[in-house]
Amino acid sequence: MRHLLRIADLDRHELRFLLDRADHFKARPLAAPGLLRRRTVLMYCTRPCARIRVPIETAVARLGGTPLHAGPGTRERGREGRLGEPSQVIGAYTALVVLQISDDAEAVRFARAAHVPVLNALTDDHHPLQTLADLMTLREHLGDLRGRKLACVGPASNVTHSLIEAVALTGLTLAVAAPEDAGPDPAVLARAEEAASGGGGKVIVTPDPYEAVKEADAVCTGAWPVSTAATAALAPYRVTPDLLSAAGPDPIFLHHLPLRRGAEVEAAVVDGPASRVLAQAANLLPAAQAVMEALLTNRLAASR
C-alpha cells in the first residue's frame, strides 16, 4: 500500500505517470466513475481550505464516492494526544484518507498506522497535490520540463519545498528568491540537491529576485503573511510587470492561491496575458483524481 505525503515519496516514473493520468482525467473527467462506488473518503482538516476542499470533494464524486469530513471537534485522540489507533479503525469505514493538517510528523504517524492509503492535501512543510497541479500546468504551456526554469519569488512555503523535491524528478531548474531568514528548509534543500546531482535538474537559492527570474520560463509566488509590516518588508519580492519582464521571453505566471493584488503580485501581472493562475487552480481537480486512482489501484508501483 502506498501513501502520498510528499513529492519525494515518488520516483521520476511515478511522477510522470501521475501527470499523464491527470491529463487523462482533464480530457475525460468521468473516466473512472465506479472506482469509489458505495465507498467513502475521509477528509480530516485542521487547516480547512476551500480551494483544496472543493476540488477534492469533486474528485471523490467524479470517482463515484462520498466525501466525509472530520475535524478537531470530532477526532478521537490517543492518550498522548496523537493520532494512533483511530487511523487503523478508520480503514474499516473508508477507502482513503485525505489530510489537511499542520504537523507533518503527525501525518507520517497517521500514515504508518493506517490500513488505507493517505493523501497529504496540505501540511505546513509539504503540498504535493498543489505541486502536481503546478507541474501539470507547466507541461501544458511549456511542454517537456527538462531544461526549463521556474522561479519562485517570496518567502519559502510548503509548495516551495514540494517543488524543490520535484527538481530531481523532472529535470527542472528551480530558482528560489527569498529573504535570507525566510528561505527553504535546509534539510529539504540538501536532500533535493543530492538527488538532483545524479539525474539532472538544479536548485538555486538567492536573495535577489531579479537574479532568480533571469531566463525563467515561468515565475510563481504565493500568499504573504497578512500584515502591513510584512508587506513592506517583502516589497522587493513583489511580482511586478518589471520583474516579469526580466525573465525569459513570454514567461508565464503562476500563483499558489489565495492572492492579494498589490501585496505579493500586482494586478497587471495576475490579470495580464502571462497569468495561468485560473488554469493552475483548475488543475487541482484532475490531479486529485489521478492521485486517488493511483493510490486505490496500486498503479504507482506498476508504473515503475
Side-chain angles (χ1 to χ4, degrees), residues 27 33 58 68 78 86 102 110 117 126 155 158 183 186 195 198 206 216 247 263 277 282 288:
T58 305
L68 304 176
S102 294
F110 185 93
H126 296 278
N158 50 5
T206 174
V277 173

Side-chain angles (χ1 to χ4, degrees), residues 71-143:
T74 58
R75 181 170 66 178
E76 295 182 32
R77 287 183 172 268
R79 293 180 179 177
E80 297 180 1
R82 296 176 177 176
L83 288 166
E85 290 184 3
S87 62
Q88 298 174 14
V89 173
I90 284 168
Y93 313 135
T94 66
L96 185 143
V97 176
V98 178
L99 298 178
Q100 283 181 256
I101 64 177
S102 294
D103 190 349
D104 282 82
E106 187 166 13
V108 172
R109 286 192 293 268
F110 185 93
R112 285 176 177 169
H115 291 167
V116 295
V118 177
L119 167 60
N120 172 13
L122 178 70
T123 53
D124 283 351
D125 292 333
H126 296 278
H127 202 338
L129 189 60
Q130 178 66 65
T131 297
L132 288 171
D134 292 357
L135 297 175
M136 184 181 173
T137 309
L138 290 172
R139 288 208 319 177
E140 288 174 347
H141 295 279
L142 302 176

Side-chain angles (χ1 to χ4, degrees), residues 133-179:
D134 292 357
L135 297 175
M136 184 181 173
T137 309
L138 290 172
R139 288 208 319 177
E140 288 174 347
H141 295 279
L142 302 176
D144 186 11
L145 298 180
R146 184 168 295 277
R148 296 291 193 170
K149 181 179 179 181
L150 170 64
C152 285
V153 181
S157 66
N158 50 5
V159 185
T160 310
H161 291 154
S162 291
L163 285 169
I164 287 172
E165 292 186 340
V167 164
L169 308 181
T170 60
L172 268 173
T173 292
L174 178 67
V176 179

Side-chain angles (χ1 to χ4, degrees), residues 4 35 69 143 218 233 250 254 266 278 282:
L4 181 59
L35 182 64
H69 293 272
D250 301 319
L254 304 178
E266 291 191 1
L278 294 180

